[in-house]
Amino acid sequence: MATSTLRLMRSACQRTMRNALCEAAVMDSIAERLQYLRKKAGFNTATEAARAFGWAVPTYLGHENGDRNPSRETAKRYANAYKTRWEWILEGGPRLDAPKDDTVPIVGDVGAGARIVFNGEPQGGYDRAPRPPGSSPDTVAARVRGDSMPGLAEDDWLIYYDQRVRGLPDEWIGQLCVVWISEEEVYVKKVFRGRDGGPYLLVSTGGLPPIEVEEINWSAKVAWIKPR
């Protein structure tokens, strides 16, 4: 075999070994494991993930950038959101999926105008709620506060929904959904479409004027409403 051919084969083998080593090294730090989990969950940026889950943005950015490491309690919140083991986030090793249990995280409160305020780290983490029948591993709950959803849910009732999707599927028109107008503006509303494909109309149960929006960034269909 020609010397040049042997040299090319050796170079290819070295690249393959180097790539394999790099892939293994990617998971060496807490920051890199958080980046992996965030991308796997479908979030392009750390800020987007932090706002979606109600985490303090500077704190999460510091953890994902490697400026500081999360505490055990904070790692548990990340593990809840990313459906993994908190031990894997802190310690690495073979990745294990989070064990299934009979509860789901309560990720926020439904307040005035049926707007959801997500729980962040200053609130001390997530509460838990009973898992509803037919739920998925992505099911979460929001807790109704006061008379924010009259005629539909009373104070301390739970609104359950599954993993959010981009935009709003056509089959969800007329249904009760959690809708993200932006990462800071999230509502539980019935969604209708304006005439001739016009703006979306977000309709509440309390007789408030509909909210008219041109675009829905994310949505999740409400799957279950339950007294607590």
Side-chain angles (χ1 to χ4, degrees):
M1 187 176 293
T3 303
S4 59
T5 302
L6 286 171
R7 188 179 299 113
L8 288 171
M9 292 178 63
R10 187 182 304 114
S11 177
C13 288
Q14 289 172 341
R15 283 197 303 273
T16 300
M17 291 175 66
R18 184 167 57 251
N19 289 341
L21 289 171
C22 288
E23 289 175 2
V26 163
M27 312 301 275
D28 277 351
S29 71
I30 292 174
E32 289 162 336
R33 288 191 287 275
L34 286 173
Q35 292 169 23
Y36 164 81
L37 291 170
R38 185 250 303 163
K39 292 174 183 177
K40 186 174 183 294
F43 296 103
N44 293 323
T45 67
T47 297
E48 183 182 353
R51 289 175 173 169
F53 291 120
W55 303 326
V57 173
T59 301
Y60 183 70
L61 286 176
H63 293 158
E64 202 178 281
N65 291 337
D67 296 335
R68 54 188 179 277
N69 289 334
S71 66
R72 178 180 295 187
E73 290 305 311
T74 300
K76 288 179 179 179
R77 295 176 205 142
Y78 296 160
N80 266 337
Y82 287 139
K83 306 297 188 297
T84 191
R85 297 281 302 280
W86 66 265
E87 294 94 339
W88 184 80
I89 291 176
L90 293 181
E91 301 169 7
R95 184 170 180 268
L96 300 173
D97 289 329
K100 295 181 179 179
D101 61 26
D102 58 357
T103 65
V104 301
I106 298 176
V107 296
D109 296 323
V110 185
R115 186 169 180 170
I116 297 182
V117 177
F118 289 99
N119 293 327
E121 289 189 8
Q123 282 74 41
Y126 297 116
D127 197 355
R128 306 292 298 186
R131 181 176 293 278
S135 61
S136 77
D138 298 314
T139 300
V140 296
R143 181 166 34 212
V144 176
R145 292 302 193 187
D147 58 353
S148 57
M149 301 188 69
L152 184 64
E154 299 180 8
D155 182 43
D156 212 35
W157 286 28
L158 296 168
I159 306 287
Y160 291 88
Y161 63 94
D162 288 326
Q163 185 174 18
R164 67 181 190 171
V165 299
R166 290 280 187 184
L168 181 89
D170 290 341
E171 59 267 27
W172 291 358
I173 296 293
Q175 303 294 316
L176 186 66
C177 298
V178 179
V179 290
W180 282 256
I181 310 308
S182 67
E183 293 300 336
E184 295 83 15
E185 193 174 2
V186 186
Y187 297 95
V188 183
K189 302 277 189 179
K190 280 192 174 182
V191 185
F192 297 91
R193 200 69 197 260
R195 185 176 299 176
D196 300 324
Y200 292 100
L201 297 176
L202 309 183
V203 179
S204 68
T205 61
L208 296 174
I211 299 174
E212 186 175 298
V213 297
E214 293 291 336
E215 184 179 5
I216 292 174
N217 289 334
W218 299 84
S219 63
K221 186 177 179 182
V222 172
W224 193 268
I225 301 175
K226 182 180 182 297
R228 194 159 187 246

